[in-house]
Amino acid sequence: MAAVPPLDIAEEIRSLQLDSAEVNGMNNPADAEEVEEVDKMEEDSNDSITMSTQEMLAETSKVKDKEVPVQEEVGASAEMEEDNKKRHLNVVFIGHVDAGKSTTGGQILFLSGQVDDRTIQKYEKEAKDKSRESWYMAYIMDTNEEERVKGKTVEVGRAHFETETSRFTILDAPGHKSYVPNMISGASQADIGVLVISARKGEFETGYERGGQTREHVQLAKTLGVSKLLVVVNKMDDPTVNWSKERYDEIESKMIPFLKLSGYNVKKDVQFLPISGLLGTNMKTRMDKAICPWWNGPCLFEALDAIEVPPRDPKGPFRMPIIDKFKDMGTVVMGKVESGSVTEGDSLLVMPNKTQVKVLAVYCDENKVRYAGPGENVRIRLSGIDDEDILSGFVLSSIARPIAAVTEFDAQLQILELLDNAIFTAGYKAVLHIHSVVEECEIVQLLQQIDPKTRKPMKKKVLFVKNGAIVVCRVQVNNLICVEKFSDFTQLGRFTLRTEGKTVAVGKVMELPLGSNF
């Protein structure tokens, strides 16, 4: 194909844009302004994705002698536009080991057409060969992991699916006790939590009792900003349960007080529903009354679609905590955009080492896009920095308003459960988890204790506190870390403290030292 004269390209784009507008249900192709207006209302991001004529001409002049596959480019951007009209949500599956998280995640992917029958048969055979017949659905989530990042395993399995109104990314967090830090990194990117509970006799009890992961995961999910929770009571088809209403009600009545204690508003933010992850019952479609006559509520897909999450600000200062990095024709970083938006060609800062970088390409799911807004999981290719100079926990941030980098901050802590006979006082050491940062920290000073009833500071000077106390204290770390005040950025201002594999406290950043920005 010969190089196309610029004017023809402009014409071609114009007609293609109008075509895509027609596809979107506009019947008046002549009125391009109106089309743009509607697009603008639908989603701010669309106009950045649809290539403007000037951009396209600039592209052409840049690549004068190369072929310019205009049609493909514009076609792809129109497709991306379609996708971007759907809201995007991250769903983390949490719960005790063996509650059926991966199986439920696998079943969702199968039901939404992300996995074909042949693949399922392959997994079924594999599972049978290992005498683990009921595990075949879990294999969908567990193999996706490796493929996702070019043969690099991320402990939190990732996969994508869509419903009529939303695009979802599933984060399948590990349920085993020794993997709680990985579960934290999964939940810190999530908008919605799906807490999977096994209804099988004995399994719910094990997960719920002290030391069981159900309790710890719920507390962590709340701290990490998972504001909406779907509690799915799984394995209802098990012979010990057999869709029993009594068993379902018993689990609900035990969970509600605990969810309230963890800070969830059960009426507004929590929804319970029964499913069978292995059989896919009550997941994509409502279940048959013959199976379960007493359930009149929604199925899992309906419940996910109906959840409303608070909007994020696409025009805010850019913030993306980095959860992983690798080399691929440059340095590629992964993470979730917490605020602001990113476009190809942007200049950004990697904090806390203040390195200025340029965005070469943005990938959303597996597709190359020109723009990504808040809430999206992205991979960004950068120039100007080596992957060895980036650590997990660094933050990609706007140059005009960079994120604060500090070694100490004041925080309000809620003490959950200290290790046997421990008291919480100045000098207490723990591991701090805040967004994707994991750092050892020390409490250097207790500033004041808060009365749990009135939520006001107590008068008396505080030297130490015990379980259940709320205290304001100064936290110190050895290396510079990127944090924000909780009041400015909730996602980057809440944290957990862990000691010897147990979560001992949850907290939020109240004050940063002066001059911490630059």
Side-chain angles (χ1 to χ4, degrees):
M1 174 179 159
V4 186
L7 267 171
D8 290 10
I9 294 175
E11 278 304 315
E12 221 167 316
I13 296 164
R14 191 90 179 132
S15 68
L16 273 160
Q17 277 181 337
L18 295 173
D19 282 358
S20 83
E22 264 183 81
V23 171
N24 291 349
M26 311 288 160
N27 298 326
N28 189 356
D31 203 343
E33 281 73 38
E34 210 166 294
V35 171
E36 277 168 35
E37 199 68 23
V38 175
D39 275 4
K40 226 187 192 92
M41 279 159 57
E42 293 240 341
E43 181 131 337
D44 278 352
S45 61
N46 291 0
D47 43 14
S48 311
I49 289 159
T50 306
M51 297 170 85
S52 73
T53 312
Q54 284 89 335
E55 262 184 292
M56 197 58 193
L57 292 175
E59 280 295 288
T60 319
S61 61
K62 250 187 261 168
V63 280
K64 268 209 175 83
D65 306 322
K66 291 184 191 168
E67 295 185 323
V68 186
V70 184
Q71 268 167 309
E72 279 175 44
E73 272 289 331
V74 180
S77 80
E79 221 169 277
M80 191 57 210
E81 245 182 279
E82 274 299 301
D83 270 2
N84 256 31
K85 285 184 184 154
K86 291 186 174 182
R87 62 181 189 153
H88 174 261
L89 295 173
N90 286 338
V91 183
V92 68
F93 278 74
I94 55 178
H96 194 61
V97 62
D98 282 347
K101 296 182 293 299
S102 293
T103 299
T104 305
Q107 184 68 262
I108 285 177
L109 295 182
F110 175 57
L111 291 172
S112 57
Q114 302 292 318
V115 187
D116 58 13
D117 284 339
R118 262 182 57 196
T119 317
I120 289 280
Q121 282 159 7
K122 189 184 101 192
Y123 293 147
E124 218 165 337
K125 183 180 179 308
E126 232 173 275
K128 213 171 191 153
D129 293 346
K130 293 179 182 162
S131 325
R132 290 271 186 261
E133 285 164 45
S134 66
W135 284 19
Y136 72 96
M137 275 292 177
Y139 282 16
I140 301 174
M141 285 306 288
D142 295 346
T143 56
N144 256 13
E145 262 166 67
E146 282 124 38
E147 298 153 10
R148 269 283 166 253
V149 193
K150 312 233 172 13
K152 200 173 158 69
T153 308
V154 184
E155 286 97 331
V156 177
R158 289 163 169 275
H160 315 278
F161 74 98
E162 293 191 15
T163 60
E164 290 299 308
T165 60
S166 312
R167 289 183 303 128
F168 292 98
T169 299
I170 299 179
L171 306 165
D172 178 30
H176 195 278
K177 201 181 189 132
S178 47
Y179 297 125
V180 167
N182 303 343
M183 178 264 158
I184 291 176
S185 80
S188 67
Q189 303 158 55
D191 303 298
I192 307 174
V194 174
L195 175 63
V196 184
I197 291 177
S198 167
R200 186 181 284 163
K201 219 171 181 55
E203 280 190 8
F204 164 66
E205 286 71 14
T206 317
Y208 178 67
E209 279 158 14
R210 281 184 184 281
Q213 280 349 92
T214 308
R215 297 170 72 94
E216 186 169 17
H217 277 192
V218 170
Q219 284 166 338
L220 285 171
K222 184 62 187 169
T223 317
L224 295 163
V226 180
S227 56
K228 305 284 182 180
L229 206 57
L230 277 183
V231 184
V232 299
V233 182
N234 189 20
K235 303 193 187 181
M236 289 295 287
D237 58 311
D238 191 80
T240 62
V241 185
N242 212 351
W243 296 98
S244 147
K245 186 175 189 325
E246 285 70 38
R247 178 65 169 160
Y248 176 81
D249 289 345
E250 176 195 354
I251 290 172
E252 191 172 337
S253 63
K254 280 189 177 165
M255 284 305 296
I256 285 175
F258 175 64
L259 290 166
K260 282 182 177 162
L261 198 70
S262 302
Y264 280 100
N265 178 336
V266 178
K267 281 194 176 67
K268 264 180 31 197
D269 301 334
V270 180
Q271 188 172 1
F272 284 80
L273 64 150
I275 64 160
S276 163
L278 187 61
L279 304 177
T281 318
N282 204 34
M283 289 178 72
K284 189 177 184 181
T285 50
R286 294 193 178 200
M287 68 181 133
D288 200 331
K289 287 282 184 213
I291 301 173
C292 181
W294 50 269
W295 180 253
N296 299 314
C299 62
L300 182 60
F301 278 32
E302 289 174 337
L304 284 169
D305 261 345
I307 284 182
E308 286 183 15
V309 292
R312 290 190 190 81
D313 183 8
K315 292 188 169 57
F318 185 71
R319 299 282 184 269
M320 187 192 95
I322 295 168
I323 55 167
D324 208 351
K325 45 89 194 259
F326 55 93
K327 248 190 165 68
D328 177 16
M329 289 160 45
T331 301
V332 179
V333 292
M334 290 173 59
K336 174 184 165 191
V337 180
E338 291 295 358
S339 158
S341 43
V342 61
T343 313
E344 225 173 273
D346 281 358
S347 291
L348 297 169
L349 272 185
V350 173
M351 293 292 285
N353 48 6
K354 300 180 185 169
T355 312
Q356 194 159 335
V357 293
K358 194 168 170 67
V359 175
L360 298 178
V362 183
Y363 295 88
C364 196
D365 296 345
E366 296 300 305
N367 312 317
K368 186 173 184 211
V369 295
R370 289 190 157 264
Y371 162 99
E376 293 283 2
N377 301 317
V378 292
R379 296 204 308 272
I380 299 178
R381 183 173 288 126
L382 301 171
S383 67
I385 193 165
D386 202 64
D387 68 322
E388 286 158 15
D389 299 329
I390 298 175
L391 295 175
S392 169
F394 281 15
V395 176
L396 209 50
S397 134
S398 77
I399 296 177
R401 285 181 58 193
I403 188 169
V406 300
T407 51
E408 66 172 35
F409 56 88
D410 291 353
Q412 181 176 311
L413 277 181
Q414 162 102 44
I415 314 293
L416 298 174
E417 218 173 317
L418 297 168
L419 294 179
D420 305 335
N421 303 326
I423 56 167
F424 191 87
T425 174
Y428 188 90
K429 288 185 168 65
V431 178
L432 169 81
H433 291 260
I434 183 163
H435 58 88
S436 49
V437 172
V438 182
E439 267 296 327
E440 289 197 359
C441 73
E442 184 178 341
I443 307 299
V444 285
Q445 191 183 351
L446 299 189
L447 301 170
Q448 53 190 191
Q449 190 168 350
I450 306 284
D451 186 327
K453 287 192 179 70
T454 61
R455 298 271 162 183
K456 290 193 166 60
M458 294 180 180
K459 292 264 193 315
K460 65 172 199 280
K461 197 171 182 302
V462 56
L463 295 171
F464 67 89
V465 289
K466 292 187 173 177
N467 284 353
I470 301 173
V471 62
V472 177
C473 56
R474 186 155 294 155
V475 182
Q476 196 173 59
V477 289
N478 298 328
N479 303 311
L480 273 175
I481 60 167
C482 298
V483 298
E484 291 276 13
K485 277 164 53 173
F486 181 81
S487 52
D488 298 340
F489 274 93
T490 52
Q491 292 299 69
L492 305 176
R494 52 171 110 236
F495 62 91
T496 59
L497 292 185
R498 290 172 57 80
T499 309
E500 293 176 29
K502 267 185 77 170
T503 305
V504 290
V506 295
K508 50 190 183 186
V509 178
M510 304 297 279
E511 288 297 334
L512 300 173
L514 289 171
S516 54
N517 268 40
F518 253 32

